[in-house]
Amino acid sequence: MVAQMLDGALVASKLNAETAERCRALIARGVRPGLAAVLAGDNPASRSYVASKAKTCARLGLHSEIIELPAETTTAELVALVATLNARADIHGILVQMPLPAPIDAQAIIRAIDPEKDVDGFHPVNVGRLALKQDGFVPCTPAGVMALLDHYDLPARGRRAVVLGRSAIVGLPLSLLLLHRDATVTVCHSRTPDLAAAARSADILIAAIGRTALVTEDFIQPGAVVIDVGINRVTTGEEVEACFGGDPARLADIEKKGYTLIGDVHPRQAAERAGYLTPVPGGVGPLTIAMLMRNTTLAAERACR
Ligand code: NDP
């Protein structure tokens, strides 16, 4: 079997076109959706995520601003900044890029964000709304995964879904979304015995653990839908050989950047066993940003109702 690749970039561009249209309608009513992205400290990965979010805002017609703070910023200072953003009428979405520098109390910052501007969907009010199937903001990566399943007409109803990972930003909300779609959901984590056996029972397998190519062929039921959320780096030719069969494009990537991206799923083994598979990069990643744009536009629509 050769898995059909699920093209996240394609689905993201479709979603972005819809968001740009909604954004134009809002601008015609005098409201430009606005996103404030707060970046504390000097984490290069965070900097690049925030930059690409701002770039997508500009492309779709949203206003965005990046607020950079030193790593020494205190929890109280950040809470005060969030309060000023909560009060601004031109800012509809507030994103505080995680991880925050260690001394800052990340939960206190998340709690400080107005739930109606919490476009990441991390505030306890939005987590509660999601659990209770009420309207709120759904975290972007899980919402993106559901959009991908919908686009390819891969229903969750009545299927066995196994989610590897239970984090507040991916595994847990995704398991709730799948449950709300009438899947029978198993959530696995670092204390799950015989992870491979649990994973093999899945019609829909989601890997969100942050472990390079841990999901090998023995984790995958033949024909299963496999969604790879993980983003990891491989840096050596030996790893490229083992995971990508010495793919020259991957080797060129390492030559140029020092690494190539890989998910939690072994790409070659999964491609031979799964029915459907997301690539890394180009799978779930683009959908995460698309959903952030959509949530920010939704926040603006709700604010001017
Ligand atoms: P976390 O580190 O917060 O959570 C990882 C989860 O995986 C935990 O629940 C942990 O279990 C579980 N886990 C870790 N190792 C194992 C193991 N060996 N066996 C079983 N379970 C394990 O990560 P995130 O949820 O934030 O992210 C997961 C991955 O997704 C990362 O690679 C991240 O970079 C990527 N990601 C990608 C995004 C995208 O846009 N594509 C967006 C967000 C994340 P326990 O709870 O017991 O510790």
Side-chain angles (χ1 to χ4, degrees):
M1 173 171 298
V2 177
Q4 179 184 338
M5 287 294 161
L6 303 176
D7 187 344
L10 175 90
V11 180
S13 70
K14 184 184 140 237
L15 293 168
N16 284 339
E18 288 167 13
T19 300
E21 185 56 44
R22 284 164 64 179
C23 190
R24 275 194 293 277
L26 279 166
I27 291 168
R29 293 168 57 194
V31 179
R32 182 185 290 274
L35 176 71
V38 180
L39 182 62
D42 198 21
N43 178 330
S46 295
R47 187 174 295 279
S48 118
Y49 291 145
V50 166
S52 74
K53 288 165 185 173
K55 217 167 114 191
T56 311
C57 279
R59 201 155 50 78
L60 303 190
L62 286 80
H63 164 73
S64 76
E65 46 195 65
I66 299 175
I67 300 157
E68 294 199 34
L69 300 170
E72 303 72 41
T73 305
T74 64
T75 301
E77 285 165 344
L78 198 40
V79 166
L81 170 68
V82 167
T84 65
L85 296 172
N86 284 341
R88 276 177 56 183
D90 61 332
I91 293 297
H92 306 95
I94 301 170
L95 173 162
V96 179
Q97 187 63 45
M98 303 288 166
L100 287 167
I104 299 178
D105 179 350
Q107 289 309 316
I109 305 305
I110 290 170
R111 280 196 305 274
I113 298 172
D114 178 346
E116 307 316 315
K117 296 191 178 190
D118 169 40
V119 287
D120 264 335
F122 295 164
H123 191 287
V125 166
N126 283 315
V127 177
R129 287 167 169 163
L130 173 59
L132 298 172
K133 222 176 161 180
Q134 296 173 1
D135 278 349
F137 290 105
V138 176
C140 300
T141 302
V145 170
M146 299 311 290
L148 190 68
L149 294 176
D150 288 343
H151 176 86
Y152 283 96
D153 201 14
L154 298 166
R157 170 170 289 181
R159 316 296 296 281
R160 278 166 308 196
V162 175
V163 181
L164 308 181
R166 58 176 165 182
S167 75
I169 64 167
V170 189
L172 193 60
L174 195 42
S175 61
L176 289 169
L177 289 168
L178 288 161
L179 187 63
H180 294 334
R181 295 285 190 91
D182 298 327
T184 300
V185 182
T186 303
V187 186
C188 300
H189 45 79
S190 65
R191 305 301 163 100
T192 301
D194 201 348
L195 198 65
R200 234 176 7 250
S201 71
D203 304 310
I204 300 173
L205 177 62
I206 316 275
I209 49 181
R211 299 281 179 267
T212 300
L214 184 125
V215 175
T216 46
E217 58 193 346
D218 52 323
F219 282 59
I220 300 170
Q221 181 192 123
V225 177
V226 179
I227 307 288
D228 191 356
V229 180
I231 302 177
N232 313 292
R233 291 178 174 194
V234 299
T235 55
T236 67
E238 292 74 42
E239 287 171 303
V240 169
E241 183 56 42
C243 297
F244 300 103
D247 179 355
R250 294 295 188 155
L251 290 169
D253 228 11
I254 293 185
E255 188 77 22
K256 193 168 144 209
K257 298 187 295 192
Y259 65 88
T260 188
L261 292 180
I262 188 168
D264 293 339
V265 175
H266 193 294
R268 269 201 309 157
Q269 294 184 13
E272 283 166 18
R273 202 166 167 95
Y276 301 85
L277 176 65
T278 55
V280 176
V284 175
L287 290 161
T288 298
I289 297 189
M291 285 302 169
L292 177 69
M293 300 298 118
R294 194 158 97 158
N295 277 352
T296 304
T297 305
L298 178 64
E301 287 168 347
R302 287 180 177 162
C304 65
R305 245 184 222 155

